[in-house]
Amino acid sequence: MALLQISEPGGKPAKPAHRLAVGIDLGTTNSLVSASCGGKVEVLTDEQGRALLPSVVQYRAGQQPLVGSDAKQAAIEDPANTIISAKRLLGHSLDELKNSHQFRQYQFDDSRGDGSPAIMTAAGSKDPVEVSADILRRLGDIAEARLKGTLEGVVITVPAYFNDAQRQQTKDAAKLAGLEVLRLLNEPTAAAVAYGLDSQDQGNIIVFDLGGGTFDVSLLSLTKGVFEVLATGGDTNLGGDDFDQILVAHLASQAGLTAELSNQEHGELLRLANAARHSLSEQDRVEVSFRGQTLTVDAGEFAALSKDLVARTINTCRRVIRDAGLDKSEIDNIVMVGGATRMPVLRAAVAEFFGREPLTDIDPDKVVAIGAGIQADVLIGNKSPDSFLLLDVNPLSLGIETMGELVEKIIPRNTTIPVARAQEFTTFKDGQTAMSLHVVQGERELVKDCRSLARFELRDIPPMVAGAAKIRVTFQVDADGLLSVTAEELSTGKLAEIQVKPSYGLGSEDIEQMLKASQDHAEEDMKIRALVEAQVEARQLVDAIRAAEAQDGELLDQEERAALDKAVAELEQAIDSGDRNAIHEQSEALNRLSGQFAARRMDLHISRALRGERIEEVESSKE
Ligand code: ADP
Ligand code: MG
């Protein structure tokens, strides 16, 4: 038994004029904030003109935490109270992390009892959500100082592979920082948006992101401006830092340091190596002075030293493309992201592998933040949605089958995602205890003309008369396009749920064809829908009269009964004939004829009720 619709969703509120919103790249190593300034999206700088805020927080007893460069400086003297790479801790539990070698510098707090990996500091224990909130708060302050106003919303980027827990904690951190999250946006999608790739019709895009300590490759497929992540890969422990380490070893051997380096030596050489590596992105040869010696490194040497690391990044690209079932010749664009992609060796290797130059015009540190800023500006309503209509939207309507094999659209096509919409439905038959839900996709009115996505059942609905049960069906599409459908019987809270990826197996041609078919058949579909609705309504009337006859048949004399049965038979005939006018006329006739019967039944039930029988008992004695 399918669903019967009883309510319509409400209207949309109007948008006010000009509002402040920013994009935030909450990075493992560095974070940035950007906003639209005079028609162009730019990264906002702090009081000292710095665009990159190191994602480092130092906690001090009885004082405000230090965030950014100042904290990074302090990290060397006060590592226990200075938290770096909090992003790596998001979504993980204390049990998972407490024995990890990677986080050995921290002392985790066992006493919290909430399972969070909180770190003991001089200002009390701090979990990764709180640390992230401190970074976000600082970025919010920088933005408000620059923009001279109050932020109304932020778009925060997250890695494409972030799971629900990690995404939720990112949102929690924003909330804690007093920021309203308009949307979480995948980092690779943001980078593609910064390059304006969303305005293209379709294509496959590789986003190659090498940061300080993490490497991510994402393969995005773009269809009419809608991005979908086809595959991701990478290494959570590969980044610019590793290139620094090989250079440290190289400089140490030149300096004649053969034994294991002391902490002091290592720290000094690391600083020199990092600076040298950055210089090598601009020049062919670098000299550094270390304790009175002059050490050198040139581009050729550096290329030889970093060969293995570079090969690892290319292998990852190869794997990601294979996972998506594509060939590298099918990649239309390669976007370079992350400060470490400035290294010429890396750019050359990528260009050689793909046989085309990667996109590098936008500063790779800033590209994600800029994409987030563009998105924020659109979402807050400063830009005409036309220019962005097709970014991250639901390309085809999603709906549910209702009585008569009709489709009720719950999320119309072109709705921006993520989105959640609910509608209430009811049962069609008396005593109905199960309801089957059929999730469909498409623009047509009949189920048979749409794509079937999933079916599931809601059971254990308490038996009630038709139309008394309330079943709320909620459609939710997350930022990755994953659809969750839940059906809840509201009196008992009984719940059934299913998840599907509506875009699975759907190409841009299919979408186009489905849209065209719905236009071609618009008029015919409308007529069919009207007919089926009339049939469903008439069938309900027939069922109701039959049930009433069975229950209170003694209220009718033989003649009346025969007349009623005749009218019911005529209506059934009209239903079968598919003639909407006939259905309408026969329904009217039956309604007129049964009016007296209905009045008598009402009197009977009222007098029973007055004798002390409760209406519910009367109702539930029907069967
Ligand atoms: P994350 O995304 O992890 O926060 P970033 O994208 O900010 O990281 O990248 C930081 C890395 O970029 C560091 O390893 C840094 O050394 C490297 N980097 C920054 N500028 C350059 C440069 N000019 N040449 C080479 N590497 C660079
Ligand atoms: Mg990054």
Side-chain angles (χ1 to χ4, degrees), residues 27-30 52 209-214 240-241 244 274 277-278 281-282 338-340 342-343 365:
T28 312
T29 321
N30 294 307
L52 266 61
D209 181 350
L210 190 67
T214 57
D241 301 350
D244 288 341
N274 184 262
R277 192 168 59 80
H278 287 201
S281 298
E282 313 290 329
R342 285 215 186 78
M343 289 186 282
D365 295 320

Side-chain angles (χ1 to χ4, degrees), residues 261-327:
L261 299 178
S262 69
N263 277 348
Q264 176 74 27
E265 286 165 339
H266 186 267
E268 261 178 72
L269 281 175
L270 183 60
R271 218 166 26 81
L272 291 172
N274 184 262
R277 192 168 59 80
H278 287 201
S279 302
L280 278 176
S281 298
E282 313 290 329
Q283 61 203 60
D284 280 345
R285 200 180 121 90
V286 185
E287 287 186 359
V288 300
S289 49
F290 172 70
R291 301 189 175 179
Q293 301 184 60
T294 301
L295 312 175
T296 63
V297 53
D298 67 33
E301 282 169 327
F302 182 63
L305 291 168
S306 54
K307 207 167 144 243
D308 290 349
L309 291 175
V310 171
R312 271 167 68 190
T313 67
I314 299 297
N315 281 334
T316 301
C317 293
R318 192 175 286 128
R319 204 170 330 115
V320 166
I321 294 167
R322 196 185 52 216
D323 286 351
L326 294 178
D327 186 83

Side-chain angles (χ1 to χ4, degrees), residues 528-569:
I528 289 211
R529 180 170 193 111
L531 170 63
V532 174
E533 278 173 354
Q535 284 172 320
V536 167
E537 213 172 295
R539 171 109 354 250
Q540 266 183 299
L541 179 62
V542 167
D543 286 353
I545 301 272
R546 289 248 167 85
E549 279 183 338
Q551 194 188 4
D552 298 321
E554 71 278 3
L555 297 176
L556 295 166
D557 65 28
Q558 229 169 19
E559 208 174 305
E560 286 169 332
R561 185 159 192 144
L564 206 56
D565 284 346
K566 182 163 165 278
V568 166

